[in-house]
Amino acid sequence: MQTEEPAKVNFYFLSDIEKEVRVTTHRIQGAQSACKGSAASSSSLELLLECQLYVDGRELGMPVHTKYRHFPTKNEAKTSGVHHWHETLTFPVKYTDLSSMDWRTSMVVFRLWDLSPSPASPSLSAPAQPRKGPVERALIGEGRIRLISERRLLETGVRTVALWPPHGGAKVE
């Protein structure tokens, strides 16, 4: 009989990881119900997901965001309110940059924005014409995930991020 060898486990310091910090969005669920008060409740959703890297309660670098996405309403798509996104976002920061900072407080904050036109917008009555001027955006919700666990391990794999209603500019801790 052969005995099985124990699995090998490799550990690396953050200073050894020369890769950029990346997150991949898979799907968003429940955005339709979060937009109840906006024009999106009766028309299609126009969403944008913004991600910001925070270390020690301060922003690190510029936020990155997904491409603008147009999602049909639940009635049009005959779905259960799940919107598939499948986009990878890369921050202009490497893990080696995090090693010199307080890595225990490093996190990614997600903000979901509604870019749907307001009922008074002329683009709602004439959808064939592109919008002109600045787009008003409404924050639907925000959530966060830590990059490093309490056990000092890099968080990897699929994570579920709960998006909470906005707190009126509350500081991210």
Side-chain angles (χ1 to χ4, degrees):
M1 255 175 49
Q2 293 181 346
T3 59
E4 292 184 27
E5 292 184 27
K8 290 185 178 182
V9 178
N10 295 323
F11 291 96
Y12 296 95
F13 293 107
L14 278 179
S15 59
D16 295 337
I17 304 174
E18 286 287 335
K19 293 189 175 250
E20 294 175 325
V21 178
R22 294 188 312 188
V23 293
T24 301
T25 57
H26 290 285
R27 67 176 183 241
I28 294 178
Q29 185 172 353
Q32 187 75 26
S33 60
C35 297
K36 279 188 245 179
S38 70
S41 60
S42 59
S43 65
S44 59
L45 287 174
E46 297 181 16
L47 301 176
L48 178 81
L49 184 67
E50 178 184 87
C51 300
Q52 175 69 54
L53 190 59
Y54 280 81
V55 175
D56 201 22
R58 294 185 311 238
E59 296 177 353
L60 181 63
M62 297 293 291
V64 295
H65 55 83
T66 60
K67 295 176 185 172
Y68 155 84
R69 297 290 177 148
H70 173 83
F71 294 108
T73 61
K74 196 188 304 186
N75 297 336
E76 292 173 6
K78 296 183 177 41
T79 64
S80 59
V82 176
H83 305 292
H84 297 280
W85 213 293
H86 301 296
E87 189 170 340
T88 299
L89 300 173
T90 304
F91 291 97
V93 174
K94 294 184 178 183
Y95 287 104
T96 56
D97 300 334
L98 296 177
S99 66
S100 62
M101 301 175 190
D102 190 2
W103 52 266
R104 294 171 292 221
T105 60
S106 58
M107 66 180 71
V108 177
V109 175
F110 299 88
R111 291 184 182 94
L112 185 63
W113 294 95
D114 178 15
L115 304 176
S116 302
S118 64
S121 173
S123 63
L124 192 61
S125 60
Q129 297 179 4
R131 277 191 223 157
K132 295 179 181 173
V135 175
E136 290 185 31
R137 60 184 193 170
L139 183 60
I140 296 174
E142 58 187 1
R144 60 183 169 214
I145 56 170
R146 295 182 62 171
L147 290 177
I148 310 295
S149 72
E150 292 291 327
R151 295 175 46 206
R152 296 183 179 186
L153 299 174
L154 182 64
E155 295 282 359
T156 59
V158 177
R159 298 284 182 257
T160 300
V161 180
L163 295 180
W164 299 95
H167 292 83
K171 180 183 174 190
V172 178
E173 296 178 353

